[in-house]
Amino acid sequence: MIQLINVNTDQMIADDVKSAYTFMSRFKGLMMKKSIAENAGLHISPCSSIHTFFMKFSIDIIYLNQNNEIVGIEESLEPGKIGKRFADAKSVIELPAGTHKRTSTVIGQKVALQD
């Protein structure tokens, strides 16, 4: 199980993060899932932008650069939408809607993905 931790605040953002590092797992992402648990997430790499086509729920997205610093955040992106594009983004983490506000995560902070 991978944990997502905010290095700046030492706060656990999610403790059940799955990885999507192959073409097929990145392609599938969270499509067709009914929901995502409050403590869960999906780390997609490499990835600089996402979409929510064929999804059934809204998500928060954290965009990370190559040093795992947050370069962009989107809150409650609804199904059927295209996410923003951030030039420095190398990977993204998809989280349940509301995670950003609940954890007070902000651009410029650094995260760690730990086993």
Side-chain angles (χ1 to χ4, degrees):
M1 188 176 332
I2 299 172
Q3 298 177 333
L4 177 64
I5 298 169
N6 184 321
V7 174
N8 298 86
T9 64
D10 204 32
Q11 181 181 24
M12 174 94 56
I13 298 171
D15 65 5
D16 184 16
V17 179
K18 306 280 191 256
S19 60
Y21 302 152
T22 66
F23 172 79
M24 283 308 294
S25 63
R26 288 191 316 265
F27 176 76
K28 184 177 177 188
L30 295 174
M31 288 191 307
M32 309 311 278
K33 302 269 187 203
K34 292 182 181 181
S35 65
I36 183 172
E38 184 176 322
N39 66 328
L42 181 67
H43 182 227
I44 306 171
S45 181
C47 182
S48 59
S49 67
I50 60 102
H51 67 81
T52 57
F53 300 133
F54 308 107
M55 289 181 59
K56 301 174 191 273
F57 50 91
S58 298
I59 57 173
D60 285 357
I61 304 102
I62 296 175
Y63 296 83
L64 303 174
N65 67 11
Q66 64 188 14
N67 299 317
N68 285 344
E69 296 164 337
I70 300 171
V71 295
I73 295 174
E74 282 191 89
E75 293 182 68
S76 297
L77 188 64
E78 297 174 352
K81 304 291 182 183
I82 297 174
K84 296 178 184 173
R85 185 175 277 282
F86 295 90
D88 293 340
K90 301 296 182 196
S91 68
V92 301
I93 300 173
E94 298 180 343
L95 299 159
T99 301
H100 170 256
K101 285 184 181 176
R102 179 177 54 80
T103 60
S104 301
T105 306
V106 297
I107 293 172
Q109 292 177 326
K110 187 171 185 170
V111 299
L113 293 154
Q114 301 176 345
D115 291 328

